Amino acid sequence: MGGYTIGVIGGDGIGPEVVQEALKVLAAAGVEVEAVPFDLGASAYLRTGDVLPDRILDQLRTLDAILLGAIGPPVGSTEVPAGLLERGLLLRLRFELDLYINLRPFKTPRGAATLGAAGMDLWVVRENTEGPYAGEGGALRRGTAHEVATQGSVNTRFGVERCIRYAFGLSADKGLSRVSLVHKTNVLTYAGSLWSRAFEEVGSEHPDIERDYCHVDAACIHLVERPDRFQVLVTDNLFGDILTDLAGALSGGIGLAASANLNPAGTGPSLFEPVHGAAHDIVGTGRANPLAAIRSAAMMMEHLGEAEVAARMTSAVEQVAADPAWGGRTTAELGDAVAGRLC
């Protein structure tokens, strides 16, 4: 197992706490990591006035991968303008590093109670650099009674097709038999048509994989009532953002939800982060759940080619999550529990 140079962005709130546990588990798994810290997030912005300086972006480009905890000011704070960190840090990293796949696994812990009708075990492949997040739009007569605001969804054949190709490739790699496209083709007819045609054309190259379509509103119902309908779900940026929060809540809580922002071509480092926020209200209390950060680190190892290490880490996280007593453990105790299963 080779050594890896990993950029570590602890960020704000509980971010540093959960990242510390992820690094602990990587060490227990025998991974040699040079962790390079980067001071980015709300607190850094308030101190320096910078969100993501070009010199730091250039440094990040040279790394093997990036592990991020969480960013954001406390709820209700007005010191950081709304959207500044999201667009200036997270989205800029996605665009600049071409992190065009957002991959999120959801699996209800064995024996855990579920909010839905059955357990969940699926992968969500979300297009990560287009849609409304691309920033198209504008405003006229702002602040008046006649204000007009537009925000369009940007979809290119190139961006849509490479996302769909990744979804079918993932299904084949994982030995799964169904890929489901989720969109709203009956209303979003232009974008929906592009996604549908690309889905059918790419899917025809994989005759052994079933193709399935579902409107996004119906998909929300299925995630609650019969999540086993989905194995690999592919969708656009906005729908993916909403559906994955729902899936996280249904499959054990957002504290278990991991994610990878991938550059599958390897032209730059990929970024791995738990889905949850900074949760400033529980900083230092030991109540932060590090399992999503640890699972994200496992996804990082799989992306770096360490499949055996990733499988052991993922299995250890699942074992701890399935333990009825895990909810009463502190942040450090949960990290120790996962690490202990790897030693």
Side-chain angles (χ1 to χ4, degrees), residues 254-259 273-276 289-297 317:
I254 209 73
L256 297 177
S259 76
E273 60 176 324
V275 174
H276 61 69
N289 185 347
L291 295 184
I294 298 170
R295 179 70 175 89
S296 298
V317 168

Side-chain angles (χ1 to χ4, degrees), residues 215-232:
H215 287 330
V216 64
D217 44 351
C220 292
I221 297 172
H222 292 313
L223 283 174
V224 174
E225 295 184 345
R226 44 168 304 204
D228 58 333
R229 167 172 176 158
F230 302 116
Q231 295 181 356
V232 174

Side-chain angles (χ1 to χ4, degrees), residues 6-10 19 22-23 26 65-69 272-273 293 296-297 300:
I6 306 299
V8 177
I9 305 172
V19 164
L23 294 174
L26 285 171
I66 303 166
L67 183 63
L68 185 150
F272 303 82
E273 60 176 324
S296 298
M300 178 175 71

Side-chain angles (χ1 to χ4, degrees), residues 113-133:
T114 174
L115 297 176
M120 185 179 296
D121 190 357
L122 73 126
W123 297 83
V124 177
V125 178
R126 166 187 168 192
E127 200 291 317
N128 212 30
T129 58
E130 296 188 347
Y133 288 68

Side-chain angles (χ1 to χ4, degrees), residues 38-97:
F38 291 90
D39 186 16
L40 297 170
S43 59
Y45 167 74
L46 291 174
R47 288 195 311 273
T48 67
D50 292 323
V51 177
L52 178 58
D54 289 343
R55 60 179 175 78
I56 291 183
L57 179 59
D58 290 341
Q59 288 178 286
L60 291 170
R61 293 184 194 277
T62 68
L63 303 173
D64 293 315
I66 303 166
L67 183 63
L68 185 150
I71 66 163
V75 174
S77 171
T78 58
E79 294 181 286
V80 179
L84 179 70
L85 295 175
E86 290 79 5
R87 296 212 66 86
L89 177 54
L90 296 180
L91 293 186
R92 189 181 179 203
L93 286 172
R94 293 177 187 178
F95 299 146
E96 293 280 353
L97 302 179

